[in-house]
C-alpha cells in the first residue's frame, strides 16, 4: 500500500504544481482555482473511501458537465477569452482525479490533465513561479510516471505491489535534472526565427489609474491606497541609477475643465523632438533598458525628454502624439531602449536666455471658468519677477511650502474643486498640486501642462535594476521655454524624487529577491528572442575563446561571468564525484592489498617458494608445510575470495584482524603442531 | 533424371531465410505503446505551436518532453543490460498440460536495479515477468506454457523486453540461453486392453484362489535389479554377497511382461502421432497396474522394467521418436506372444500378439 499511497500523493503534488503554474500566469481569476487548490491540499492528507468516492464522482461529473456547457456558451456567444472557462473544466477534473482512493487505479488521466493545465499556464505571461512549479512538476512527474508504470505492471501480472528502496527513488528524481538540462538546452539553442509571442488577452494586464484619456480630480470619500504592483523594471547602461530625481514621464494633458484633465489633438506649434533637446541641453544622456509590466494603457514610460527610442524586439511599434507622448502597440509588455536627458538645464542657464514672449499657441493657456481669486493669487505670486523661470519658481515654492501633502481624499464632492483646495483645504495629493500650478501659470500667460507619470524607484541590488511601482505614480508640471523646450517643475511638497523615496517601505529583502528573480525570468525567458539568442551565442563563443574581444551588444555585460561560474561549478561537481567513486574502488581493493601483503610476507619468510600458486593452493601449501599462522592466513584468503569474487560484503575489520594475527604468528615463527 | 524432393528444397529455403532473418535482426528493437504515441504526438504538436507562436515557455516544456524520452531510453537500456539469466526447465512435461518455466535473473549492475522486464521464449508466446532484481542479487520470474505436441524442443533465444520506466516505449533484446525441453506424449488416451497370448486363461482359475497379500503369485527367483523396481523387493543377502542389487521376482510379474512395439517406418502425420499416444497410454496403464513393460521401436529398445522410472524412460523415448520412411525395419525384441504392435500403417512383415492401428478402429 505504501507505494500506492506515495504515487497518489505525488500525483496530487503534480496537480498542485500545475495549478500554481497557472496561478502565476493568470492570478486568481476564477473561484474554481481556489477550490481546486483547497481540494488538492486536502487530497494530500485524506483519501475518500470507495463509496464516498462514488458519490463524490457524481458531484464532480455534474460540475464538470455544467462548466463544459458554460465553456461552450462562451465559445459560441462571447468569443473573448475561451481559455479560462475551459480551464475551469480542467481544474474540476484535476480535483476529481486527485481525490481518488488508492484502490481505483485509473491513474493515467491525471498526467494528461496536469500537463494540459501546465500548457494552459504557458499561454499567459507567467512569472518566475511558473519556472519553480515547472521544476517541481518535472521532478514529481518523473517518479510518478515510473511508479505508476510499475504498479500497473504488477496489477497486469497479478503480482503484489513492488517495494522500492528510497535511494533508488531519489536517484530517479535526480534524473529529472537531465530533463531540466535538456529543457534549458533546447530553450537556449532552438532558433527563434518566427514571430515574437504576441501575448494573451487584455484581462491579464494590471490596471493603472491616471493614464487614460481623461483624468479627473473628482474622487472623494476615502484615501488613496498605495499599490505595490510593479510597473517598470529599468536597467541602466551605467549599471547604476543616475543621481538626479527620476521622473518617468507618461502622458501630458492640456485641457482642464475644472474637474478633469483631457487631451487635445490639435496643436499649432510643432512639439520639440529629440534632436531639439539634444542640441540645447548640455547634460550627458542616460541610457535605459525598460521592461514594462503589462498594463491596460499602452504608454511608453521613460525619463524625459527622450532623444532616442528603439524597440527591444522586432514587432513593437511606437507612436508619437502631437504633444510628445509616446505610445506602443504590438505586445502588452514591451521591452525598449530609451536614451534621455534627465538632467535639466540649471536655473542660471535658463535665465541666461530671455524667455521670448511668443503669443502663438493658446492650447497650453486654456483655462476653465475660474473665480477672480485665482487670478489674484497668481498675480500676487508672480508680480515681483520678470523672467518666466522666476515666476514659475515662485508659484512652485508657494505651493511647496504653504500646502500640505496628504493621501486623504476630500470628504465630499463639493470639496473636490480646485479653488477649495487652493483656499480652504490647502492639502491634497500630487494631482491637486500640479493642477494648481498649471492653472496659476496659465492665468499669468505662461504655457504649461500637466504631466502624469512615476517618480523615483527602488534600486534592486540583487539584479542591478530599478523597480518602479504603482504607488510611485506622480503628477508634475511642464512649462514651456522657447529656447529650452519643456522644463519640469514639481510643486508637490515632500517629493524628493530620488531613488527610494519615503513611500517605498513595502520592499523587504525577500521581496527584493523575488523581484530580482521575476526580472530575470522576464528578461531571459519570456523575452528570449532572436536578438537575445545571438547575443548569448556570441558571448558563449567569446567566453570559450577569450583572446577574441567580445563585440559590444545592446544588453549590458556582466552576464558572461554567470556562464563561467556555472560551468566551473558543474565541472567541480563532476570531479568530486569521480574522486568519491575512485575512493570506493580503492576500498574494494583493501582485501586485495591485504592478501597480497600476506603473501609477500610469507614469501619473504621463505614459506612460499611458488608465488604463482592461486590463493587456495597457496593455503594448502602453507598447511602442508605447517607454516606459522596458517590457520589465520586461511581465513584471510577465504574472506578475500568471498569479498572479491563472491559479491558478499566483508567487514574490513575481520580481514585486518586475521591478517594481523597471521603476520604476528609468522613473525614469532610459531610452528603449528605437527 | 534426379530431381531433389520438393520438400527438401522448401526446407532449405526455409533454413536460409531463417538465417537471413537472424542476421538482420537488430540487437535492440523498439516498439511504441499507446502512451508513447500520445507523447510523440504531443511533442510534434508542441513543436509546431512553439515555432508558430514563439512562446518561450512552450520551448521549455518541449525540451522537458524530449528530455523525458532521453531518460526513458537510457533507463530502459540499463534495465536490459548486465543481467545473467538462467532458465530452469522441468525435467519433462506432458503435451497438453501446463508446464512451468522458471527464470532466475541475477543483476550484475552496481547501483541500478533491474525492474519490470518480461522474458519470453522465442518459441512461445507467454512471457514471464520479473518485478525486481536489486543490484548484486537475483530475482525469479515464472510463466506457464502449454505445448500441444510431444517432442524435444530446443530452447535458445529469450527475448527480454521492458517498458520501464514510463511505459512509453518497449525495448527488446535477445539473449541466448541454450537448453531444451522434452515434452512427453499424453498418456490419457482411452485404449482397449491388449490381448496377449495365453492371458485370458490366467485370469480365471487358479489365480483367483491366490490369498490376499500375495497377489503377485509364487516366488520365482532372483534377478538383477532394474531401476524402477520396488526397493522392498531387494534381497539384501544376495546383494551383499554379489555386490550388486538383486530383487526377488514373482510369478505374476515375470509372466506379465508386455512389450509395446512402435513402428516408425511410416510417414509422419497425425496418425503417427496418434500411434505414439496409443503406445504411451498402453505403457502407462500397464505400469500403473504393476506390469513389467518394455518398449521397442525401429531404433530404440528399452528393456522390461516396472515402476515410475520405467514409465519415464519409455515416455522419454516416445518423446524422441521420429517417423521416417527410411528407418530400419522393426525387429521384435522378444517372442511375438509378448509383443503388442502399435502402428499407423500395418504391414504384413511384422506380426504380434495384438495390433493397435492408429486412425482406425
Amino acid at each position: 500500500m505504501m507505494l500506492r499511497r506515495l504515487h497518489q500523493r505525488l500525483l496530487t503534488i503534480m496537480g498542485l504544481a500545475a495549478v500554481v503554474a497557472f496561478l502565476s500566469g493568470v492570478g486568481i481569476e476564477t473561484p474554481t482555482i481556489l477550490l481546486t487548490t483547497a481540494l488538492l491540499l486536502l487530497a494530500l492528507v485524506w483519501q475518500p473511501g470507495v463509496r464516498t468516492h462514488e458519490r463524490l464522482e457524481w458531484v464532480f461529473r455534474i460540475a464538470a458537465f455544467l462548466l463544459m456547457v458554460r465553456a461552450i456558451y462562451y465559445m459560441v456567444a462571447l468569443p473573448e477569452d475561451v481559455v479560462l472557462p475551459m480551464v475551469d473544466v480542467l481544474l474540476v477534473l484535476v480535483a476529481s482525479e486527485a481525490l481518488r482512493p488508492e484502490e481505483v487505479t485509473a491513474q493515467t488521466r491525471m498526467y494528461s490533465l496536469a500537463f494540459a493545465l501546465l500548457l494552459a499556464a504557458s499561454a499567459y505571461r507567467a512569472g518566475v513561479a511558473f519556472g519553480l512549479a515547472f521544476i517541481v512538476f518535472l521532478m514529481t512527474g518523473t517518479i510518478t510516471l515510473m511508479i505508476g508504470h510499475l504498479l500497473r505492471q504488477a496489477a497486469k501480472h497479478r503480482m503484489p505491489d513492488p517495494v522500492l528502496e528510497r535511494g533508488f527513488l531519489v536517484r530517479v528524481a535526480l534524473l529529472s535534472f537531465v530533463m531540466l538540462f535538456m529543457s534549458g538546452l533546447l530553450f537556449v539553442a532552438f532558433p527563434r526565427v518566427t514571430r515574437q509571442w504576441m501575448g494573451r488577452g487584455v484581462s491579464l494586464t494590471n490596471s493603472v489609474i491616471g493614464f487614460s484619456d481623461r483624468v479627473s480630480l473628482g474622487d472623494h470619500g476615502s484615501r488613496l491606497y498605495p499599490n505595490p504592483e510593479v510597473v517598470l523594471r529599468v536597467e541602466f547602461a551605467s549599471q547604476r541609477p543616475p543621481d538626479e530625481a527620476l521622473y518617468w514621464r507618461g502622458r501630458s494633458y492640456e485641457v482642464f475643465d475644472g474637474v478633469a484633465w483631457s487631451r487635445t489633438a490639435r496643436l499649432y506649434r510643432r512639439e520639440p523632438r529629440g534632436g531639439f533637446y539634444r542640441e540645447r541641453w548640455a547634460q550627458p544622456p542616460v541610457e535605459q533598458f525598460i521592461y514594462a509590466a503589462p498594463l491596460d494603457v499602452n504608454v511608453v514610460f521613460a525619463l524625459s525628454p527622450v532623444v532616442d527610442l528603439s524597440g527591444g524586439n522586432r514587432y513593437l511599434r511606437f507612436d508619437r502624439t502631437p504633444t510628445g507622448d509616446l505610445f506602443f502597440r504590438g505586445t502588452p509588455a514591451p521591452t525598449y531602449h530609451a536614451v534621455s536627458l534627465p538632467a535639466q538645464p540649471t536655473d542660471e542657464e535658463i535665465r541666461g536666455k530671455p524667455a521670448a514672449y511668443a503669443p502663438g499657441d493658446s492650447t497650453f493657456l486654456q483655462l476653465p471658468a475660474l473665480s477672480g481669486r485665482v487670478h489674484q493669487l497668481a498675480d500676487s505670486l508672480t508680480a515681483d519677477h520678470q523672467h518666466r523661470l522666476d515666476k514659475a519658481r515662485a508659484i512652485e515654492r508657494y505651493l511647496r511650502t504653504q500646502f500640505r501633502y496628504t493621501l486623504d481624499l476630500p470628504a465630499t464632492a463639493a470639496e473636490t474643486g480646485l479653488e477649495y483646495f487652493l483656499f480652504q483645504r490647502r492639502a491634497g495629493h500630487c494631482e491637486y498640486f500640479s493642477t494648481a500650478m498649471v492653472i496659476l501659470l496659465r492665468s499669468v500667460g505662461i504655457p504649461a501642462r500637466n504631466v502624469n507619470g512615476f517618480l523615483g524607484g527602488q534600486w534592486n541590488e540583487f539584479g542591478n535594476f530599478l523597480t518602479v511601482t504603482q504607488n510611485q505614480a506622480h503628477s508634475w508640471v511642464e512649462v514651456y521655454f522657447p529656447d529650452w523646450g519643456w522644463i519640469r517643475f514639481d510643486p508637490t511638497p515632500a517629493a524628493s524624487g530620488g531613488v527610494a523615496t519615503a513611500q517605498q517601505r513595502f520592499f523587504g529583502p525577500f521581496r527584493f529577491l523575488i523581484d530580482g528573480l521575476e526580472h530575470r525570468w522576464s528578461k531571459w525567458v519570456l523575452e528570449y528572442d532572436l536578438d537575445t539568442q545571438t547575443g548569448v551565442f556570441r558571448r558563449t563563443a567569446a567566453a570559450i575563446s577569450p583572446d577574441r574581444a567580445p563585440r559590444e551588444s545592446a544588453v549590458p555585460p556582466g552576464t558572461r561571468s554567470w556562464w563561467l561560474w556555472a560551468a566551473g561549478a558543474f565541472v567541480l561537481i563532476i570531479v568530486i564525484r569521480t574522486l568519491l567513486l575512485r575512493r570506493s574502488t580503492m576500498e574494494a581493493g583493501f582485501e586485495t592489498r591485504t592478501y597480497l601483503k600476506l603473501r609477500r610476507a610469507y614469501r619473504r619468510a621463505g614459506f612460499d617458494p611458488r608465488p604463482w600458486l592461486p590463493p587456495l593452493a597457496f593455503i594448502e601449501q602453507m598447511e602442508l608445510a605447517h607454516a606459522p599462522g596458517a590457520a589465520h592466513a586461511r581465513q584471510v584468503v577465504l574472506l578475500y575470495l568471498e569479498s572479491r569474487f563472491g559479491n558478499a560484503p566483508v567487514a574490513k575489520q575481520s580481514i585486518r584482524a586475521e591478517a594481523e594475527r597471521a603476520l604476528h604468528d609468522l613473525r614469532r615463527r610459531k610452528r603449528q603442531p605437527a | 533424371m534426379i530431381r531433389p524432393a520438393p520438400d527438401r528444397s522448401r526446407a532449405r529455403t526455409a533454413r536460409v531465410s531463417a538465417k537471413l532473418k537472424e542476421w538482420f535482426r537488430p540487437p535492440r528493437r523498439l516498439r511504441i505503446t499507446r502512451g508513447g504515441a500520445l507523447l510523440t504526438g504531443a511533442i510534434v504538436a508542441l513543436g509546431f505551436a512553439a515555432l508558430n507562436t514563439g512562446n518561450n515557455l512552450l520551448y521549455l516544456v518541449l525540451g522537458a518532453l524530449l528530455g523525458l524520452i532521453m531518460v526513458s531510453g537510457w533507463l530502459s537500456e540499463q534495465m536490459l543490460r548486465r543481467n545473467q539469466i538462467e532458465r530452469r526447465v522441468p525435467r519433462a512435461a506432458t503435451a497438453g498440460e501446463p508446464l512451468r518455466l522458471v527464470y532466475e535473473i541475477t543483476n550484475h549492475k552496481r547501483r541500478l536495479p533491474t525492474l519490470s522486464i518480461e522474458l519470453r521464449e522465442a518459441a512461445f508466446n507467454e512471457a514471464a515477468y520479473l518485478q525486481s532484481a536489486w543490484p548484486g542479487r537475483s530475482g525469479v520470474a515464472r510463466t506457464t506454457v502449454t505445448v500441444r505436441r510431444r517432442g524435444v524442443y530446443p530452447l535458445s533465444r529469450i527475448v527480454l523486453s521492458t517498458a520501464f520506466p514510463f511505459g512509453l516505449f518497449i525495448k527488446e533484446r535477445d539473449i541466448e540461453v541454450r537448453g531444451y525441453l522434452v515434452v512427453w506424449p499424453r498418456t490419457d488416451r482411452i485404449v482397449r486392453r491388449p490381448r496377449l497370448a495365453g492371458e485370458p486363461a490366467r485370469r480365471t482359475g487358479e489365480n483367483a484362489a491366490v490369498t490376499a497379500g500375495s497377489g503377485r503369485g509364487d516366488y520365482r527367483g532372483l534377478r538383477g535389479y532394474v531401476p524402477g523396481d520396488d526397493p522392498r523387493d531387494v534381497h539384501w543377502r544376495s546383494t551383499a554377497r554379489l555386490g550388486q542389487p538383486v530383487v526377488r521376482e514373482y510369478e505374476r510379474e515375470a509372466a506379465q511382461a508386455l512389450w509395446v512395439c512402435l513402428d516408425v517406418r511410416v510417414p509422419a502425420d497425425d496418425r503417427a502421432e496418434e500411434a505414439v499416444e496409443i503406445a504411451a497410454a498402453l505403457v502407462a496403464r500397464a505400469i500403473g497396474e504393476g506390469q513389467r513393460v518394455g518398449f521397442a521401436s525401429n531404433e530404440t529398445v528399452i528393456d522390461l522394467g516396472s515402476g515410475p522410472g520405467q514409465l519415464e524412460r519409455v515416455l522419454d523415448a516416445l518423446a524422441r521418436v521420429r517417423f521416417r520412411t527410411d528407418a530400419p525395419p522393426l525387429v521384435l525384441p522378444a517372442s511375438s506372444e509378448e509383443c503388442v504392435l502399435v502402428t499407423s500403417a500395418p504391414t504384413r512383415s511384422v506380426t504380434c500378439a495384438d495390433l493397435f492401428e492408429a486412425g482406425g478402429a
Side-chain angles (χ1 to χ4, degrees), chain A residues 209 216-222 224 259 409-413 416 429 431-432:
Chain A
I209 4 171
S216 103
L217 287 173
D219 291 333
H220 60 274
S222 62
L224 282 177
V259 174
L409 291 171
T412 65
T416 59
H429 60 280
E431 271 185 303
Y432 277 107

Side-chain angles (χ1 to χ4, degrees), chain A residues 595-656:
Chain A
Y595 163 70
L596 289 175
K597 190 166 81 170
L598 194 76
R599 281 203 75 161
R600 242 177 297 144
Y602 273 94
R603 189 167 61 244
R604 271 192 245 116
F607 286 102
D608 190 11
R610 290 198 280 268
W612 58 83
L613 282 180
L616 288 175
F618 158 71
I619 284 301
E620 239 181 76
Q621 277 307 110
M622 296 302 108
E623 289 178 341
L624 281 176
H626 301 300
H632 297 297
R634 182 194 189 83
Q635 282 307 308
V636 171
V637 167
L638 288 178
L639 287 171
Y640 159 69
L641 288 175
E642 203 182 304
S643 97
R644 181 129 183 254
F645 301 104
N647 250 340
V650 169
K652 280 200 284 185
Q653 314 304 324
S654 33
I655 288 196
R656 193 190 292 143

